[in-house]
Amino acid sequence: MIRVIIRSYDVLAEVALWVLLIVATAIGYFQAGVAGALIGFGVSFVFSVMAFAPILMISDMRGSLKSIDASLKKSARSAVVATAPASVGPSAQAKDRREPSFGKPAAAVAHQGPVLRARPVTPNPED
């Protein structure tokens, strides 16, 4: 139930903002004509930006984090497939450049992802 509320919040907030802009523009038009409509639209727009922008930015960040998480999971799955040895023999172990597992099962080692190695530091000749 909580996830339904969270997912529907973005849609409801967007609908509420559009309704606020339309109603404020209509009220301004009926009060003072075209100039009132422009003032009503402007005031309601500024109010909407000030009141709802932080909430909508958090929602946008949530969506960005979901896409980053999905791409990381996708790259982790492809790295596991790419680094898995083809066979289990001395020749396959010589080609495998991952760090030793220290008694861990092969499945646990495969889920760790690629091992990052430090590059050697070369002195700068200009120093």
Side-chain angles (χ1 to χ4, degrees), residues 3 8 25 30 32 34 43 54 59-60 70 83 86 91 93 99 108-110 113 118 121 126-127:
R3 294 205 184 264
S8 65
T25 304
F30 289 124
V34 175
V43 169
S59 174
D60 186 49
T83 59
S91 62
Q93 290 175 356
E99 292 188 26
V109 174
V121 177
E126 296 175 4
D127 288 337

Side-chain angles (χ1 to χ4, degrees), residues 86-97:
S87 65
V88 181
S91 62
Q93 290 175 356
K95 293 178 185 176
D96 190 13
R97 297 185 181 263

Side-chain angles (χ1 to χ4, degrees), residues 1-101:
M1 183 66 181
I2 292 174
R3 294 205 184 264
V4 172
I5 293 171
I6 291 172
R7 289 179 186 156
S8 65
Y9 179 78
D10 295 337
V11 175
L12 293 176
E14 186 175 351
V15 169
L17 289 172
W18 281 109
V19 168
L20 176 69
L21 285 174
I22 292 169
V23 168
T25 304
I27 290 173
Y29 179 76
F30 289 124
Q31 293 291 324
V34 175
L38 292 175
I39 291 171
F41 180 82
V43 169
S44 66
F45 181 78
V46 170
F47 172 76
S48 298
V49 168
M50 298 302 290
F52 291 103
I55 296 169
L56 293 175
M57 285 187 340
I58 291 172
S59 174
D60 186 49
M61 283 187 248
R62 192 176 126 255
S64 297
L65 287 174
K66 278 185 178 181
S67 66
I68 290 170
D69 187 40
S71 66
L72 286 175
K73 285 181 181 177
K74 181 180 176 185
S75 66
R77 276 189 233 124
S78 64
V80 168
V81 171
T83 59
S87 65
V88 181
S91 62
Q93 290 175 356
K95 293 178 185 176
D96 190 13
R97 297 185 181 263
R98 290 180 291 169
E99 292 188 26
S101 64

